[in-house]
Amino acid sequence: LEKGRPVAAGTLFAMAAAAKAFPLSAIGYLVWRRHWTAAASMVGALALILVVLPAPIRGFDRNWRELCTWTDRMLLHNTGDALANQPDRAFRYGNQTLMSVVHRLTRPLPVGKESDGNLTVNFISISSGASFVIFFVIAGAMCLAFVTAMPARDRRSPQTNALEYAIVLLLIVMFSPKAGSYYYCWTIPGFTLVTAEAMRAPPGSSRRRWIITGLSVSLSVM
């Protein structure tokens, strides 16, 4: 994207989505920023990778049925009993997505290993539907804050773009149905950029103090 190669960028996004699924949500950012060519390239490359290329080996009909089944169970089958079709792991602490965390904190669900028994960590007890509502409210507020902070096209710079991309990476991981703790290596670009901002701020300035405080709080929360 930075080098003006939207077709290549969309294809790379598609390869990531075909390999792990959750990067598919990056298309929302491409559409919002009006990277139309990159978004179209991503959709086209996904169709090529997931539908066209396997067809000669697996058969078009069989491959299509299996793709639809996988999509329904892994991406669309998010209920109060399971996320990504994994009832045993969906709400345990091994899943560190926003959706799973919200359910853990608002419903009396077993959250540890089997050896931990029925360990729960919820503050309140509400229905699964209400937990999903809370998730969508929080996710919507985060997206709204993000798009509000985005600079206009004529005010963008390589520095603001880097920050923007780092936030996109974080939101992709947080909004997916399932993510292990190791997925949060995607926080490295964000922490690197924030640290660089602190180093650029004048020593002893309030800006540097605020940045370091925010960085410390973020690391502590993690």
Side-chain angles (χ1 to χ4, degrees), residues 36-108:
W36 306 118
T37 303
S41 173
M42 183 177 179
V43 173
L46 269 174
L48 178 66
I49 296 170
L50 298 179
V51 179
V52 178
L53 292 182
I57 300 172
R58 304 186 64 79
F60 180 83
D61 290 339
R62 177 186 177 188
N63 180 66
W64 181 254
R65 287 196 305 271
E66 291 179 348
L67 180 61
C68 290
T69 299
W70 185 92
T71 301
D72 176 63
R73 294 183 180 179
M74 292 298 292
L75 301 183
L76 305 179
H77 187 75
N78 296 321
T79 68
D81 300 319
L83 298 176
N85 203 37
Q86 295 188 352
D88 295 332
R89 301 174 59 189
F91 305 112
R92 297 185 185 274
Y93 59 71
N95 186 7
Q96 291 294 330
T97 65
L98 179 63
M99 189 179 298
S100 182
V101 171
V102 168
H103 278 268
R104 282 202 294 274
L105 297 180
T106 58
R107 298 173 60 204

Side-chain angles (χ1 to χ4, degrees), residues 141-182:
M142 293 174 71
C143 289
L144 182 61
F146 179 38
V147 299
T148 301
M150 281 182 177
R153 185 183 297 271
D154 58 349
R155 294 177 54 235
R156 295 178 69 178
S157 67
Q159 184 178 351
T160 63
N161 284 346
L163 292 167
E164 208 167 279
Y165 300 152
I167 295 172
V168 170
L169 293 178
L170 288 171
L171 294 181
I172 288 174
V173 177
M174 292 178 67
F175 293 167
S176 65
K178 181 182 178 297
S181 299
Y182 64 95

Side-chain angles (χ1 to χ4, degrees), residues 102-103 105-108 122 124-134:
V102 168
H103 278 268
L105 297 180
T106 58
R107 298 173 60 204
N122 57 302
I124 57 176
S125 296
I126 58 179
S127 66
S128 62
S131 294
F132 276 113
V133 169
I134 292 176

